[in-house]
Amino acid sequence: MWIALVCLYGVLKGIRDVIKKKALEKNTAMEVLFFYTLISFVFVTPEIKNALAIDYHYIGFIMIKSLIIFIAWICSFRAIKKLPIGFYGIMDMSRVIFAAVLGVCMLGEVMTGHKIAGMLMVLAGLLFVNFGKNDSSDKTKPIYIILVLISCLGNAVSELLDKMLMRHMNSGQLQFWYMFFLVVLYLAYLLVTRSKIQWRTLFKNYWILILSVLFVIGDKALFVACGKQDSTVVAMTLIKQCSVLITIIGGRIVFKEKQIIYKLICAAVIIAGIVFAVM
């Protein structure tokens, strides 16, 4: 069951990445981030009674998770705005490397021969896509690649915390408090930096609403999967990378991106590694 839930998350994640780029055409990264998290939090407010019953010893860990994601999302949204979405989707798969190392070091997960071989194939696919010509004309592209890697590290740490926290609470509690702290952090950022908000454009940017719905559904599925005893951080991170196919195809259909065959070949190598790792 948990594999199906993680696959659902991966599919929705790929769709969300494409929608993020569409939303960022009309508004800044911080505008989209704040309203995206705010609307998402509104959707989870029915869980408030359940959320208040949480063991408050773990609130601090949820705050740490939210802070990590706060930084990771700023990096990823700024990268998505500048990089081709297909290229971003492939580079985002590097979180597999970070998640594997953290899962082994922090949770004592076992790296079998299959998983090691699968990881090497994932790494090979990532290297191939960077060696190939990209359709991005942005001269500062290396900066945005670094932002993607920072985002991947942050998401890997967050996934580790998800697995740990779901041993002590249910998915509704984690989702409610996690979203609450994210809203507070993004609101504080906007107030401290005195960022101007384009209200009229925001209200017309329906991509943000769609993004929020997909996010709430996807995270619910992921947290439930984390609560399953037989699920591991490494395996879940590997399975989630099915999202890359959607970002590559979405990049071609929605944004008319080039090099799709080369990107699909690189993604195929990575996905083959994922399949081999979870066999």
Side-chain angles (χ1 to χ4, degrees), residues 239-250:
I239 295 169
K240 283 189 289 185
Q241 305 318 309
C242 63
S243 62
V244 70
L245 292 177
I246 296 173
T247 56
I248 292 173
I249 296 171

Side-chain angles (χ1 to χ4, degrees), residues 63-80:
M63 291 176 67
I64 293 172
K65 168 186 166 61
S66 298
L67 178 60
I68 291 170
I69 288 297
F70 164 76
I71 297 170
W73 282 3
I74 290 175
C75 292
S76 67
F77 270 63
R78 288 179 176 169
I80 287 172

